[in-house]
Amino acid sequence: EQCLEAATSADETLTDAWIMLGVVRKELGRPKDALPCFDKAIKNDPKAVVARFQIAQVTYELGDMQRAATQAHHVIQHADDFVPAHLLMANITLKLGDYRQAAVEFCRVLELSGPDATVYMSLGRAFAQLHDFPQAVSAFEAAFQLEPDNEMACSAAARLADRQGDTAKAGEYYRKLMRFEGSRDMAVEALNRLGLPAEAPPPAAPKKAKKGKPKGSEAAPAAKPAAPAVRFQPPKSIDRAGLPSSAPTRSTGRLIGEKPTAPARPQPSAPAAPPRVSASPTTPLDNLLDGLEKILDRTPLKGSFDKKAVGQVANKVVHQVNRVTGNLTDGMKNVTGNLSDNVNRFKGDSAAGMVDRLKDGLMSKVKREKAEPAQAPKKPAPPATGGLKKPAPGGTGQLPNRPKPKS
């Protein structure tokens, strides 16, 4: 470490020296001190794949799974046949809960490096989380075949086979599980539940050694169990091109999850609008006058306001306005009717002739109206008797002048 520190101090561009210094500090149990060394190496050379792999390992040990996955992905992009990177990515995604990607990576590790009991165990857990129970059982079987003393692999294979209804295979592994003292009672109970005999198969007899003296002075090593001939189908990648661009939470006429052929639910009709009632013209005036009277009650003008007389005059004004409005409406209806008659009259003519006739008719009507003298407007009819209230004795019948405020 001292020599590498001296080398990097003398020349900071020594990428390999920074990588080796980080590895030494990691082996000394100081992963946090190792990270700056690998970062310095990547700063010098962004293509330093070894430094990125070391960062992925250190951050995985420190619990920073997101950064570890990012750096491992960079390594796999540069070297797809680098088994440690695939194995690290598989363990990272397994901890992150991405079981689909974990299964893909573990299958890639087996493809590149061959059978491995630990990889089979992890692959079995990933397939079990994906509810791919047949392949999960196959993975645990392969792990148990490589390691006959692997109690966890035997128990997992028995339980998953029992769960998917394969009684024969479940009974086979429950009987093998009876050899382990810690799982014997559970295996016997499971066999009784399945209605199978709770008898463990006899242990395999040791093979007889061949006669004759061994050629070497040393004993021959124990034969390794044969590698299981098992192949796995990794999960298919999701084809996002076929997915809809947007998934509405509610479709027209039915809820998502209902049958497409189900009849559309009747939509609640909007409540019908209440019929419009034409109120008497005095109704809003009465409200206005009542409010005005309440206001005047708080002033010195209290008692001098004749609401009935003022209301009658106001009602007559409203009737006059309504009468004028009605005359205008009737006039507009007459003009519209004349235009409609002219249009219907010229329906059979050509388009040019119809336009010319309509133009001539309108121009003649305008000239006629200009030639006629305007009639004087009619005077409104005198109001009916009893409209205004007689003035009180000694008064003029008008509101008194409001006294000027004192300066």
Side-chain angles (χ1 to χ4, degrees):
E1 183 182 10
Q2 291 176 0
C3 293
L4 291 170
E5 286 177 350
T8 53
S9 298
D11 187 357
E12 293 187 355
T13 63
L14 296 176
T15 304
D16 293 340
W18 283 112
I19 295 175
M20 287 187 286
L21 179 59
V23 172
V24 168
R25 289 179 176 178
K26 185 181 72 171
E27 294 297 330
L28 289 174
R30 299 182 353 237
K32 291 184 179 180
D33 296 336
L35 274 179
C37 301
F38 300 131
D39 291 335
K40 186 67 176 179
I42 292 179
K43 185 178 179 181
N44 290 337
D45 183 8
K47 296 182 180 180
V49 182
V50 177
R52 292 187 180 277
F53 179 68
Q54 293 293 337
I55 291 177
Q57 285 187 317
V58 172
T59 51
Y60 174 75
E61 294 174 2
L62 294 177
D64 189 355
M65 299 299 167
Q66 296 295 338
R67 189 179 182 191
T70 302
Q71 297 300 326
H73 177 73
H74 278 290
V75 177
I76 293 174
Q77 293 298 315
H78 286 84
D80 184 55
D81 56 349
F82 188 47
V83 177
H86 285 285
L87 184 59
L88 180 60
M89 178 65 83
N91 291 323
I92 292 171
T93 51
L94 191 65
K95 281 198 172 184
L96 289 174
D98 188 357
Y99 304 110
R100 177 184 294 275
Q101 187 64 32
V104 172
E105 297 296 338
F106 282 126
C107 288
R108 181 62 174 161
V109 171
L110 292 173
E111 180 184 351
L112 293 173
S113 63
D116 185 277
T118 305
V119 176
Y120 282 135
M121 289 294 295
S122 300
L123 180 60
R125 286 196 292 269
F127 277 132
Q129 292 291 340
L130 294 172
H131 297 278
D132 190 350
F133 298 127
Q135 293 202 90
V137 172
S138 299
F140 290 125
E141 284 180 322
F144 185 71
Q145 186 175 346
L146 285 177
E147 297 179 351
D149 58 343
N150 193 334
E151 181 181 356
M152 186 178 298
C154 183
S155 175
R159 290 174 182 272
L160 286 179
D162 188 4
R163 183 174 179 179
Q164 66 178 350
D166 192 347
T167 306
K169 184 172 290 188
E172 175 187 354
Y173 281 95
Y174 277 132
R175 292 190 188 96
K176 292 179 180 180
L177 198 60
M178 290 176 63
R179 298 176 181 178
F180 302 95
E181 184 178 356
S183 303
R184 186 175 302 154
D185 296 338
M186 183 271 292
V188 172
E189 182 181 354
L191 289 170
N192 292 334
R193 175 174 52 81
L194 294 175
L196 299 175
E199 296 179 0
K207 294 183 179 180
K208 294 182 180 181
K210 293 183 179 180
K211 294 181 180 181
K213 296 181 180 180
K215 294 182 179 180
S217 58
E218 297 179 357
K224 294 182 179 180
V230 57
R231 296 181 62 86
F232 297 97
Q233 183 66 34
K236 296 181 180 179
S237 59
I238 300 175
D239 185 10
R240 301 188 182 277
L243 297 178
S245 57
S246 61
T249 57
R250 169 116 189 176
S251 60
T252 306
R254 66 183 181 90
L255 293 174
I256 289 180
E258 294 179 341
K259 295 181 179 179
T261 56
R265 292 186 177 181
Q267 299 294 332
S269 57
R276 188 174 181 180
V277 180
S278 58
S280 171
T282 59
T283 301
L285 291 175
D286 290 341
N287 297 336
L288 178 61
L289 295 176
D290 290 339
L292 183 59
E293 186 176 13
K294 291 180 180 178
I295 294 175
L296 292 176
D297 286 343
R298 303 175 184 177
T299 65
L301 300 178
K302 180 180 179 180
S304 61
F305 176 70
D306 190 353
K307 186 178 73 172
K308 184 176 179 181
V310 176
Q312 290 177 353
V313 175
N315 288 336
K316 289 181 180 180
V317 173
V318 171
H319 285 301
Q320 292 290 341
V321 173
N322 292 339
R323 188 181 307 165
V324 173
T325 304
N327 294 337
L328 292 175
T329 303
D330 294 339
M332 290 297 297
K333 289 182 179 179
N334 294 335
V335 174
T336 305
N338 295 335
L339 289 175
S340 300
D341 294 340
N342 292 332
V343 171
N344 294 333
R345 187 182 309 161
F346 299 145
K347 273 186 179 180
D349 298 343
S350 63
M354 181 175 65
V355 172
D356 292 337
R357 292 189 181 185
L358 182 60
K359 182 179 178 181
D360 296 338
L362 291 174
M363 293 300 296
S364 61
K365 186 172 183 179
V366 170
K367 292 179 180 178
R368 191 185 318 116
E369 290 179 354
K370 286 184 177 181
E372 295 177 0
Q375 297 180 1
K378 298 181 179 180
K379 295 183 180 181
T385 57
L388 294 176
K389 188 176 181 181
K390 295 181 179 180
T396 60
Q398 298 180 356
L399 295 177
N401 295 330
R402 186 173 182 179
K404 295 183 181 180
K406 295 182 181 180
S407 58

